[in-house]
mmCIF file of all heavy atoms in Angstrom:
data_model
loop_
_atom_site.group_PDB
_atom_site.id
_atom_site.type_symbol
_atom_site.label_atom_id
_atom_site.label_comp_id
_atom_site.label_asym_id
_atom_site.label_seq_id
_atom_site.Cartn_x
_atom_site.Cartn_y
_atom_site.Cartn_z
ATOM 1 N N SER H 92 79.148 -5.298 87.071
ATOM 2 C CA SER H 92 78.877 -5.022 85.719
ATOM 3 C C SER H 92 78.088 -3.812 85.622
ATOM 4 O O SER H 92 78.387 -2.814 84.677
ATOM 5 C CB SER H 92 78.174 -6.234 85.103
ATOM 6 O OG SER H 92 78.918 -7.402 85.050
ATOM 7 N N THR H 93 77.045 -3.545 86.431
ATOM 8 C CA THR H 93 76.303 -2.373 86.304
ATOM 9 C C THR H 93 77.102 -1.173 86.750
ATOM 10 O O THR H 93 76.866 -0.084 86.057
ATOM 11 C CB THR H 93 75.033 -2.462 87.465
ATOM 12 O OG1 THR H 93 74.305 -3.663 87.113
ATOM 13 C CG2 THR H 93 74.160 -1.286 87.413
ATOM 14 N N THR H 94 77.920 -1.292 87.807
ATOM 15 C CA THR H 94 78.663 -0.155 88.053
ATOM 16 C C THR H 94 79.698 0.279 87.022
ATOM 17 O O THR H 94 79.863 1.428 86.704
ATOM 18 C CB THR H 94 79.556 -0.414 89.355
ATOM 19 O OG1 THR H 94 78.650 -0.813 90.421
ATOM 20 C CG2 THR H 94 80.236 0.816 89.896
ATOM 21 N N THR H 95 80.283 -0.778 86.317
ATOM 22 C CA THR H 95 81.232 -0.432 85.288
ATOM 23 C C THR H 95 80.372 0.267 84.083
ATOM 24 O O THR H 95 81.090 1.212 83.559
ATOM 25 C CB THR H 95 81.782 -1.845 84.757
ATOM 26 O OG1 THR H 95 82.463 -2.474 85.854
ATOM 27 C CG2 THR H 95 82.824 -1.537 83.591
ATOM 28 N N LEU H 96 79.336 -0.218 83.777
ATOM 29 C CA LEU H 96 78.434 0.434 82.798
ATOM 30 C C LEU H 96 78.219 1.964 83.179
ATOM 31 O O LEU H 96 78.355 2.838 82.218
ATOM 32 C CB LEU H 96 77.211 -0.279 82.636
ATOM 33 C CG LEU H 96 76.207 0.256 81.602
ATOM 34 C CD1 LEU H 96 76.783 0.238 80.146
ATOM 35 C CD2 LEU H 96 74.794 -0.482 81.629
ATOM 36 N N LEU H 97 77.821 2.171 84.313
ATOM 37 C CA LEU H 97 77.479 3.563 84.741
ATOM 38 C C LEU H 97 78.817 4.401 84.742
ATOM 39 O O LEU H 97 78.829 5.587 84.332
ATOM 40 C CB LEU H 97 76.910 3.541 86.142
ATOM 41 C CG LEU H 97 75.545 3.008 86.243
ATOM 42 C CD1 LEU H 97 75.189 2.849 87.706
ATOM 43 C CD2 LEU H 97 74.529 3.857 85.504
ATOM 44 N N VAL H 98 79.983 3.876 85.195
ATOM 45 C CA VAL H 98 81.169 4.526 85.020
ATOM 46 C C VAL H 98 81.417 4.959 83.588
ATOM 47 O O VAL H 98 81.895 6.032 83.323
ATOM 48 C CB VAL H 98 82.399 3.816 85.609
ATOM 49 C CG1 VAL H 98 83.720 4.368 85.322
ATOM 50 C CG2 VAL H 98 82.168 3.697 87.116
ATOM 51 N N GLY H 99 81.340 3.929 82.625
ATOM 52 C CA GLY H 99 81.503 4.093 81.127
ATOM 53 C C GLY H 99 80.706 5.260 80.633
ATOM 54 O O GLY H 99 81.025 5.934 79.663
ATOM 55 N N MET H 100 79.603 5.420 81.191
ATOM 56 C CA MET H 100 78.541 6.505 80.775
ATOM 57 C C MET H 100 78.708 7.727 81.566
ATOM 58 O O MET H 100 77.866 8.643 81.481
ATOM 59 C CB MET H 100 77.122 5.882 80.924
ATOM 60 C CG MET H 100 76.859 4.656 80.062
ATOM 61 S SD MET H 100 75.249 3.926 80.427
ATOM 62 C CE MET H 100 74.149 5.213 79.769
ATOM 63 N N ASP H 101 79.858 7.904 82.303
ATOM 64 C CA ASP H 101 80.128 9.107 83.063
ATOM 65 C C ASP H 101 79.002 9.476 84.022
ATOM 66 O O ASP H 101 78.793 10.732 84.265
ATOM 67 C CB ASP H 101 80.321 10.342 82.050
ATOM 68 C CG ASP H 101 81.575 10.097 81.142
ATOM 69 O OD1 ASP H 101 82.555 9.573 81.685
ATOM 70 O OD2 ASP H 101 81.561 10.500 79.906
ATOM 71 N N ALA H 102 78.461 8.456 84.585
ATOM 72 C CA ALA H 102 77.398 8.715 85.720
ATOM 73 C C ALA H 102 78.204 9.135 86.928
ATOM 74 O O ALA H 102 77.514 9.789 87.745
ATOM 75 C CB ALA H 102 76.594 7.488 85.954
ATOM 76 N N PHE H 103 79.383 8.754 87.080
ATOM 77 C CA PHE H 103 80.137 9.229 88.333
ATOM 78 C C PHE H 103 81.409 9.926 87.876
ATOM 79 O O PHE H 103 82.010 9.573 86.909
ATOM 80 C CB PHE H 103 80.612 7.947 89.136
ATOM 81 C CG PHE H 103 79.523 6.894 89.381
ATOM 82 C CD1 PHE H 103 79.544 5.598 88.875
ATOM 83 C CD2 PHE H 103 78.432 7.392 90.041
ATOM 84 C CE1 PHE H 103 78.589 4.689 89.309
ATOM 85 C CE2 PHE H 103 77.308 6.382 90.316
ATOM 86 C CZ PHE H 103 77.360 5.115 89.915
ATOM 87 N N SER H 104 81.702 10.899 88.632
ATOM 88 C CA SER H 104 82.914 11.656 88.369
ATOM 89 C C SER H 104 84.175 10.988 89.027
ATOM 90 O O SER H 104 83.923 10.113 89.898
ATOM 91 C CB SER H 104 82.748 13.080 88.916
ATOM 92 O OG SER H 104 82.788 12.964 90.344
#
Side-chain angles (χ1 to χ4, degrees):
S92 297
T93 302
T94 306
T95 302
L96 176 63
L97 290 171
V98 170
M100 298 174 68
D101 294 325
F103 309 123
S104 68

